[in-house]
């Protein structure tokens, strides 16, 4: 392995803006777009001597020996993205943040605030924008490096998790977008969509195996202050969970979701003014919403279970659930690999048993896009089987099942396994008698 840059290192973070919207727009073509994006960026980074430290989905973390190399790599990457012909009218916009600082290496991972600062700088930007810290800018000035464009002083900006403001500059390159909205800093709007995921990517560069996952941002919506306080205490004890806000009713929950963009909302079923089910329905009606909802209920046989799932909830938890199950449930839903508990699956089936025959509809056109194997996998998911159990049933590997499940979600436009099960029964694709 090539030796990592050490001492004073320049870090470059990148992330696609609006990746969830792109996924919904492109569906099957999104994988090819992501591959092309990765190829273009890697080529630009390698040509400039950068070392790829970490890659998660559409995010890159790259280290350079000099600020000049990092800047040239960022510009080359943005130019390649701008020149690429993307399918179906898609626009792939990538935000980039650059910072130079001292960092130490431990087990091939970078440690230090410089890594975190670079990630936060990237998160503050917009797609197509290249942001440079004051430290990087000063080094470029001192070394009298000729830049591939000019710089625009954006002033002192307060970044999340850092007490002191930091001066940021935007690199302005002829032929690339120059005008952008205000930065997503503490003075302006909070992170939109899933930008917080990238901002926490620095954790992956320094934490041990148990802590290498993304930080999951959680909003707690419950009309009882003591319940909210209890959940907050449990969740904040976990390194990979962050409680970003609270709400006391459904209307406030919607406002806070739009403002804070959490990954998961713990939503009480029964709340005054606007209940959790209607709040979930309104939230899921937003095509750009990336937040997932876990409903909270006091009783296992809550009469609103099916209605909540139909509204778009990704799962259910009892309020008296043991702490470890609460934490594991949130992690599972956030990962998209959440499984319906057998009791919930049975309840969904029973709901359809009670319904009149006309409740089963003509198969939606999306079903025609599924291959025979994907259709088979969907039916097994509707039975409440895990990936491992499906693999045993179909005599394939669990990895193969995961791939099929991902294709099913994308083709049907569903968020997770819960919604896939609801789709299967609502469409009449699976009959209750066949799954009992």
């Amino acid at each position: 392995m090539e030796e990592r840059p050490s001492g004073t290192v320049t870090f470059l973070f990148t992330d696609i803006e609006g990746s969830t919207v792109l996924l919904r727009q492109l569906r099957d073509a999104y994988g090819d777009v992501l591959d092309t994006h990765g190829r273009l960026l890697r080529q630009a980074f390698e040509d400039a001597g950068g070392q790829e430290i970490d890659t998660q989905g559409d995010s890159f973390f790259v280290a350079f020996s000099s600020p000049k190399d990092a800047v040239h790599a960022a510009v080359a990457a943005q130019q390649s993205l701008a020149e690429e012909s993307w399918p179906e009218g898609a626009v792939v916009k990538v935000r980039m943040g650059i910072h130079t600082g001292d960092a130490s290496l431990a087990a091939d991972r970078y440690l230090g605030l410089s890594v975190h600062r670079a990630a936060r700088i990237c998160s503050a930007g917009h797609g197509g924008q290249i942001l440079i810290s004051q430290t990087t800018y000063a080094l470029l000035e001192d070394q009298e490096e000729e830049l591939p464009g000019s710089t625009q002083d954006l002033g002192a900006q307060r970044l999340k998790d850092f007490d002191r403001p930091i001066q940021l500059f935007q690199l302005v390159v002829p032929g690339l977008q120059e005008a952008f909205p205000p930065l997503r800093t503490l003075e302006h709007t909070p992170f939109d969509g899933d930008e917080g995921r990238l901002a926490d990517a620095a954790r992956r560069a320094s934490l041990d195996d148990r802590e290498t996952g993304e930080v999951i941002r959680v909003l707690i919506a419950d009309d009882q202050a003591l319940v909210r306080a209890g959940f907050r205490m449990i969740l904040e004890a976990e390194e990979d969970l962050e409680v970003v806000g609270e709400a006391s009713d459904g209307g406030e929950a919607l406002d806070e979701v739009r403002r804070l963009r959490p990954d998961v909302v713990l939503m009480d079923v029964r709340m005054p003014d606007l209940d959790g089910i209607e709040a979930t329905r309104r939230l899921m009606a937003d095509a750009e919403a990336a937040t997932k909802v876990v409903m909270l209920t006091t009783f296992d046989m809550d009469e609103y279970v099916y209605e909540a799932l139909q509204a778009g909830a990704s799962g259910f938890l009892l309020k008296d659930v043991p702490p470890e199950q609460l934490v594991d449930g949130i992690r599972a839903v956030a990962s998209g690999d959440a499984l319906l508990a057998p009791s919930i699956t049975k309840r969904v089936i029973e709901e359809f048993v009670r319904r009149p025959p006309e409740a089963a509809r003509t198969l939606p056109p999306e079903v025609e896009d599924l291959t025979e194997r994907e259709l088979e996998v969907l039916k097994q998911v509707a039975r409440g089987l895990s990936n491992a159990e499906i693999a045993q049933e179909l005599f394939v590997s669990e990895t193969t099942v995961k791939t099929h499940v991902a294709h099913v979600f994308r083709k049907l436009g569903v968020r997770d396994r819960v919604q896939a099960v609801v789709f299967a029964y609502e469409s009449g694709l699976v009959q209750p008698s066949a799954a009992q």
Side-chain angles (χ1 to χ4, degrees):
M1 177 182 292
E2 187 178 354
E3 186 178 354
R4 302 283 198 206
S6 59
T8 301
V9 183
T10 299
F11 298 109
L12 167 64
F13 276 82
T14 78
D15 181 42
I16 293 180
E17 181 179 57
S19 56
T20 301
V21 176
L22 269 179
L23 174 59
R24 289 179 180 148
Q25 174 188 351
L26 297 171
R27 294 182 176 255
D28 287 346
Y30 181 73
D32 293 336
V33 166
L34 200 60
D35 289 342
T36 301
H37 150 269
R39 174 176 55 79
L40 295 176
L41 264 60
R42 283 192 174 94
Q43 188 62 58
F45 300 154
E46 291 173 5
D47 289 347
Q51 286 197 37
E52 186 178 318
I53 307 302
D54 189 22
T55 304
Q56 294 289 330
D58 54 47
S59 304
F60 278 86
F61 170 28
V62 188
F64 295 83
S65 298
S66 75
K68 178 189 72 172
D69 293 340
V71 167
H72 279 274
V75 171
Q78 293 287 21
Q79 289 173 334
S80 296
L81 292 168
E83 294 168 0
E84 183 69 21
S85 297
W86 302 103
E88 301 182 28
V91 178
V92 180
K93 292 192 172 184
V94 177
R95 60 175 65 84
M96 300 184 181
I98 300 173
H99 175 64
T100 306
D102 293 331
S104 59
L105 275 169
D108 230 23
R109 302 181 183 213
Y110 282 103
L111 307 175
L113 288 176
S114 296
V115 180
H116 293 260
R117 188 171 278 112
R120 292 299 186 194
I121 291 172
C122 178
S123 295
H126 299 274
Q129 193 170 31
I130 303 174
L131 297 178
I132 302 174
S133 72
Q134 183 178 20
T135 305
T136 301
Y137 175 80
L139 287 171
L140 292 168
E141 287 281 291
D142 289 345
Q143 297 168 11
E144 297 183 348
E145 296 288 359
E146 184 175 346
L147 298 177
S150 59
T151 54
Q152 177 184 352
D153 189 345
L154 301 181
Q157 304 286 338
R158 289 180 59 238
L159 304 177
K160 183 181 178 182
D161 296 335
F162 288 92
D163 296 331
R164 291 185 297 176
I166 179 174
Q167 198 87 1
L168 294 181
F169 298 82
Q170 176 189 320
L171 191 62
V172 180
V173 180
L176 296 179
Q177 182 178 344
E178 298 182 6
F180 297 92
L183 297 181
R184 294 183 174 96
T185 59
L186 296 183
E187 281 84 6
H188 298 291
T189 58
F191 299 140
D192 290 333
D194 58 1
E195 288 85 352
R197 171 177 50 77
L198 176 73
D200 291 304
R203 292 177 182 268
R204 293 192 295 269
S206 58
L207 298 179
D208 61 25
D209 290 342
R210 187 199 177 285
E211 299 170 326
T212 54
E214 302 164 359
V215 170
I216 301 169
R217 307 172 76 244
V218 182
L219 175 74
I220 304 171
D222 194 291
D223 59 335
Q224 299 181 50
L226 285 178
V227 172
R228 297 197 304 271
F231 282 137
R232 176 182 281 273
M233 181 178 67
I234 293 170
L235 300 183
E236 289 188 337
E238 302 295 323
E239 289 288 339
D240 61 337
L241 301 180
E242 176 187 5
V243 178
V244 296
E246 298 181 10
S248 58
D249 60 53
E252 186 181 355
L254 287 176
D255 291 338
E256 290 299 277
V257 167
R258 296 186 185 108
R259 186 174 72 87
L260 299 171
R261 300 290 185 178
D263 299 306
V264 176
V265 178
L266 289 180
M267 185 87 75
D268 188 16
V269 169
R270 299 181 176 89
M271 290 186 289
D273 299 328
L274 187 69
D275 64 34
I277 294 175
E278 182 57 29
T280 299
R281 186 176 290 113
R282 295 184 188 182
L283 175 59
M284 295 300 109
D286 182 356
E288 296 188 6
T291 300
K292 296 181 179 179
V293 176
V294 175
M295 303 302 298
L296 297 171
T297 180
T298 305
F299 306 104
D300 183 46
M301 292 304 294
D302 195 297
E303 60 185 299
Y304 298 117
V305 166
Y306 178 77
E307 188 178 355
L309 294 178
Q310 192 178 43
S314 294
F316 257 81
L317 284 175
L318 296 177
K319 287 188 179 181
D320 61 355
V321 67
E324 61 273 13
Q325 290 184 25
L326 170 68
V327 169
D328 290 343
I330 291 174
R331 287 174 180 150
V333 167
S335 72
D337 293 332
L339 295 176
L340 278 175
S343 61
I344 300 296
T345 303
K346 184 173 183 291
R347 211 164 305 155
V348 173
I349 294 170
E350 289 171 347
E351 175 68 24
F352 277 94
V353 171
R354 289 194 298 269
R355 290 183 170 206
E358 59 266 26
R361 311 170 190 168
T362 303
L363 289 180
E366 293 91 340
V367 175
E368 297 179 2
D369 294 333
L370 300 179
T371 66
E372 184 177 347
R373 178 62 88 179
E374 289 165 355
L375 194 59
E376 195 172 6
V377 168
L378 173 59
K379 291 178 179 179
Q380 301 292 353
V381 169
R383 291 174 54 200
L385 271 62
S386 67
N387 286 346
E389 291 168 335
I390 295 173
Q392 289 182 342
E393 287 273 334
L394 303 182
F395 302 102
V396 296
S397 70
E398 188 172 349
T399 301
T400 298
V401 173
K402 288 181 179 179
T403 301
H404 287 316
V405 169
H407 290 166
V408 169
F409 290 176
R410 186 165 63 248
K411 290 180 179 181
L412 299 184
V414 298
R415 296 168 182 268
D416 49 38
R417 299 178 87 94
V418 173
Q419 299 309 308
V421 171
V422 173
F423 178 96
Y425 286 104
E426 275 195 326
S427 65
L429 181 64
V430 175
Q431 299 300 318
S433 60
Q436 286 183 306

